[in-house]
Amino acid sequence: MAIYTEHVSRTFGEYLLIPGLTTKQCTPDNISLRTPLTKFTKNNPEAGMYLNIPFVSAIMQSVSNDTLAIELARNGGLSFIFGSQSVASQAEMVHKVKKFKAGFVTSDSNLTPAHTLADVLALVKKTGHSTVAITDDGNPNGKLLGIVTSRDYRLSTDSRDRKIEEFMTPFAKLTVGKLGITLSEANDIIWEHKLNTLPIIDEQGRLCYFVFRKDYDSHRQNPYELSDKKDKTLLVGAGINTRDYKERVPALVEAGADVLCIDSSDGYSEWQAECLKWIKERYDIPVGAGNVVDEEGFLYLVEAGADFIKVGIGGGSICITREQKGIGRGQATAVIEIAEARDRYFEKTGTYIPLCSDGGIVHDYHMTLALAMGADFLMMGRYFARFDESPTKVLKVGNNYVKEYWGEGSNRAKNWQRYDSGGEEGLTFEEGVDSYVPYAGAMKDNLAVTLGKMKATMCSCGSTDLNHLRKYAKITLVSSTSIVEGGAHDVILKE
Ligand code: RVP
């Protein structure tokens, strides 16, 4: 006879938190959202990696590219750059995050002295940026020969055929900064010389970055920034699969990835154990594994060497795995059961394995609930797909501004490795959909609201850190009628 689990499969919307004593210490300013990302031992908690906010972005084409990864790390979280792309392009995205320095911008508009004014105008139209670097080979890191801005040409009189070398501001007349100077030193030079743009060059005279005056004020403080203690680079993760890891992992490590995660819709497999073993024998890089939804799957991957475990099957907003294959579990139940198993494992072995609750977050309060239930951090796709920094364009559909968001198991993403059961290459059926999500603006503004709510909830629960919340939160199941009671009810809402 089959084995039946005791618990009903439940999801976050079926629970609420009951307030605890709010002490005078419980103010939003006092709350720490720091949380472990990778495993550590009782005797050496700092051996693990930590996040400054408990969020990571989903390993998905429509979510985690280098732009989103940079912004999320600057705000204290971490992205796992999507793996359903070529090894070279994924490694390049990782490299771009590692190379990022706030205020130092790699030039995206570059031409050679032999190009013409017409080329300048076409490029400015394409990029929307008026500063064009003139390098010997037209590459952003070529030898810097001059720059062109709108002050260098007169549209009413200049012929479009004029060669750039005739009207650019040549290198000899430029004020430049040397690679290695800090942002504040660069800004001092900008102020002293009344510049709009400061090119930063290396010892061979190659262009490395621009620092722009206009960016100076917009560099808002990022107190939560997640960076490497030694070299100050932003931290970044990358998704891998159990098929091509022997080529992919070396390239990602070489590009500077700080952490990896095996990305699979069902991770309780010998493929994952083999992949973990292969990496652990060769590299000193933390690797997360999953997804699993019960204690058995959790223990299997932990014994195989995983540094964190990702929990969740079928709860993602674009995921139809439960409908298609009939596998999965309510996200709350999966997190609760595995968190108990994780705590028992810690008690028994002294090793703490962080849990990532992946998918199924709809409302902001679900995040605090998932953390209270025992998750150490949350992976989210839909949440991040709505922001300016995600890889897709803003579209207008009817009267609404939206962004596209598609599942890795959809025909659009064609990420068959994530749904691989060891057979033929390719998707035999879809496990995800292609959709729109409401456009929500800048990540930073949205995070401010979400984290503000999370801190307010923690104050109500009497917790100033996530460890306390995981230990002492009081959680209740709610009936369907009490869910109705929780929204505005029995009133006529004004438009
Ligand atoms: P959500 O945040 O609810 O949008 O869920 C995102 C998660 O959904 C991902 O991290 C991944 O685990 C899962 N996913 C991604 N693609 C698909 C699919 O096509 N079925 N599912």
Side-chain angles (χ1 to χ4, degrees), residues 58-60 263 291 310 312 315-321 358-361 379-383 405-410 418-419 431-433:
I59 312 171
M60 298 174 70
D263 184 31
N291 286 6
K310 202 140 71 70
S317 56
I318 34 47
C319 182
I320 51 170
T321 293
D358 177 14
I361 297 289
M379 177 171 274
M380 295 180 290
R382 192 193 59 86
Y383 180 76
Y405 178 46
W406 59 95
E408 288 295 299
S410 67
R418 187 173 198 271
Y419 301 90
E431 290 191 42
V433 298

Side-chain angles (χ1 to χ4, degrees), residues 132-257:
V132 180
I134 309 304
T135 58
D136 59 347
D137 54 7
N139 284 320
N141 300 118
K143 194 168 161 49
L144 184 65
L145 303 178
I147 61 174
V148 169
T149 69
S150 51
R151 289 196 230 161
D152 294 308
Y153 50 86
R154 242 178 122 179
L155 283 180
S156 55
T157 54
D158 283 354
S159 151
R160 302 301 189 258
D161 297 336
R162 265 188 97 190
K163 288 263 189 290
I164 286 176
E165 61 198 359
E166 294 167 27
F167 63 88
M168 70 183 185
T169 304
F171 183 79
K173 289 202 181 153
L174 293 177
T175 304
V176 296
K178 286 276 155 63
L179 184 61
I181 63 171
T182 63
L183 186 58
S184 88
E185 287 165 344
N187 281 317
D188 288 347
I189 301 175
I190 286 177
W191 281 97
E192 218 173 281
H193 296 267
K194 301 190 170 150
L195 307 173
N196 283 325
T197 310
L198 179 72
I200 307 292
I201 58 168
D202 67 11
E203 286 185 349
Q204 284 76 44
R206 282 192 299 257
L207 178 64
C208 304
Y209 306 105
F210 279 136
V211 177
F212 294 102
R213 170 190 285 262
K214 66 176 169 47
D215 285 352
Y216 183 72
D217 291 332
S218 66
H219 281 304
R220 289 186 268 180
Q221 290 300 310
N222 289 301
Y224 285 140
E225 186 162 288
L226 189 68
S227 53
D228 188 280
K229 283 194 197 93
K230 283 191 222 118
D231 66 10
K232 303 280 179 250
T233 55
L234 296 177
L235 298 192
V236 65
I240 57 171
N241 64 72
T242 54
R243 282 276 184 150
D244 65 9
Y245 58 88
K246 291 181 188 167
E247 294 97 64
R248 197 170 287 274
V249 171
L252 293 171
V253 171
E254 171 71 25

Side-chain angles (χ1 to χ4, degrees), residues 260-263 267 272 276 287-292 301-302 305-311:
L260 303 174
C261 184
I262 311 177
D263 184 31
Q272 292 225 356
L276 283 164
V287 189
N291 286 6
V292 293
L301 293 177
V302 168
D307 292 277
F308 67 86
I309 298 293
K310 202 140 71 70
V311 179

